[in-house]
Amino acid sequence: MSSELRNASKTLLKLSKKRIICTLNHRRCHSSFPTAVETAEKLVQPRSKATFNDPFSIVSHEMSNLAKNIASLIGSGHPTLNRVSSYYFEAEGKNVRPLIVLLLSKALSKIPIEERNRIPIDKSDVSDQPQYKGTPQATSIAGNSVDDSISPLQILHGINPRVILDPLSKPMDKLPQFDSVNGILPKQRRLAEIVEMIHTASLLHDDVIDLSDSRRGRPTGNIAFTNKMAVLAGDFLLGRASVAIARLRNPEVIELLSTTIANLVEGEFMQLKNTVLSNNESTISNDGETKTIPSATGKVPIQDDGFSVDVDHQTNVDAAFEYYLHKTYLKTASLMSKSSRAAAVLSGSQDVVIENCYEFGRNLGLCFQIVDDMLDYTSSDLAIGKPSQADLKLGLATAPILFAWKEKPELGELIGRKFKNPGDIEVARSAVDEFQGVEKTRLMAEGYCLKALENLRVLPESDARSALELLTNSVLTRTK
């Protein structure tokens, strides 16, 4: 089995490189990524009856209970708030982020316990499971159940302690005890739920900001419930997630997850600015409206269109790509990378494993969003469950148009004014087709995919690691 898995990884790498070379030479290549995934899947199928056809099956029990467990975390005493905050959980989503956390947690459990001693593994997590008997279990700050409150309940109850409306201020349903066969710790399961709550809160806010009208095949929260309710529900989810984060009782994990919330906001502000070309900080432009920021002295600031004409074109393009990738990290990859690192921290793994888990999430997150930006140019509204070609309409300069701009400098003026003039969008779309912007974007995504696969090799060979490899490759071939 060990040699077969090694051969599978080599096969994936060879076929991936072959595809890249073929694309670069603009030739038709018969070895597609789906073929690579199919070939690898056949090679890594375990001989036991417990085979898997997709990554979900490895953690199907945990994933099937995800929405139910989240519902127990976000309930409030207000029926309308309950309805709005649970709205996106009702529709079938990708659930990629919690899936990554759970698969990674299962893969980390295959590391021998003596090699997972960076922090003490919580007694409350593993109880008396055989594989943990006899191991040193020092008292840890992370030592109490994720279901137990830190503050006294009478304080969390609020004004009227006889009316308990807040599920986080009372004992909740206990998480299942640690399963020695499954290997996922209760704190890692709660981590997966927290990650999905943070992500969903960001969707509620993003749809208001972007004036979106559909997501996951139905009206967005702002359309169904108004902008105010959608924003408040997103805030509520972040508040609930913050309490659950604190109850993980691990300072490093609390720090990691808290910064992801800040990163989401930072990334959104970068997107509002759009590109590094827009260096004018005296005005704010959004949704077709430009406002002058009042100064402390009351003087009117000097206006600047923000377009850097004194810098050579290549430097402008390089700076724009750097800006785009940093924004992409903050908006998408930060949550994937820091939650992956948090899963490794909770497992007690050593620093080299923790670093590779972080890099895996970072590379996969960048690949995921770059593919998403590519699909905006190639997929229909029905296929992706939201309006297609929305980025240009929002004035966003993503990878496809940046690659076209590299070859056609005059596109810089369109990018600088966020494609707001009549005909700008049509010119930009035509340039993307002319200079193979979509194809070059796919190559960029494939590069990050290969890096993510390399990061996974620090983990022991297992079904969970194989499932993570299949998941990583499927990000490239997804159509929605």
Side-chain angles (χ1 to χ4, degrees), residues 144-186:
N144 291 305
S145 170
V146 290
D147 299 310
D148 296 334
S149 66
I150 299 172
S151 300
L153 286 179
Q154 63 267 27
I155 293 176
L156 296 180
H157 288 169
I159 296 175
N160 187 351
R162 292 173 296 177
V163 182
I164 303 176
L165 300 177
D166 182 347
L168 289 182
S169 67
K170 64 180 181 179
M172 295 179 293
D173 293 337
K174 296 294 182 181
L175 280 170
Q177 291 297 310
F178 174 80
D179 184 343
S180 60
V181 176
N182 183 287
I184 300 174
L185 301 171

Side-chain angles (χ1 to χ4, degrees), residues 252-267:
E252 185 174 358
V253 172
I254 293 171
E255 182 179 57
L256 285 168
L257 296 180
S258 298
T259 56
T260 65
I261 298 174
N263 289 159
L264 287 169
V265 178
E266 292 172 315

Side-chain angles (χ1 to χ4, degrees), residues 309-322:
V309 295
D310 296 328
V311 180
D312 67 273
H313 173 63
Q314 187 59 51
T315 300
N316 268 333
V317 172
D318 291 343
F321 266 109
E322 183 178 351

Side-chain angles (χ1 to χ4, degrees), residues 78-104:
H78 198 297
T80 304
L81 179 55
N82 287 339
R83 184 75 183 89
V84 184
S85 59
S86 63
Y87 182 65
Y88 281 171
F89 295 108
E90 297 169 359
E92 183 179 351
K94 303 182 187 78
N95 292 327
V96 171
R97 291 154 189 84
L99 178 62
I100 290 170
V101 170
L102 292 170
L103 285 174
L104 193 56

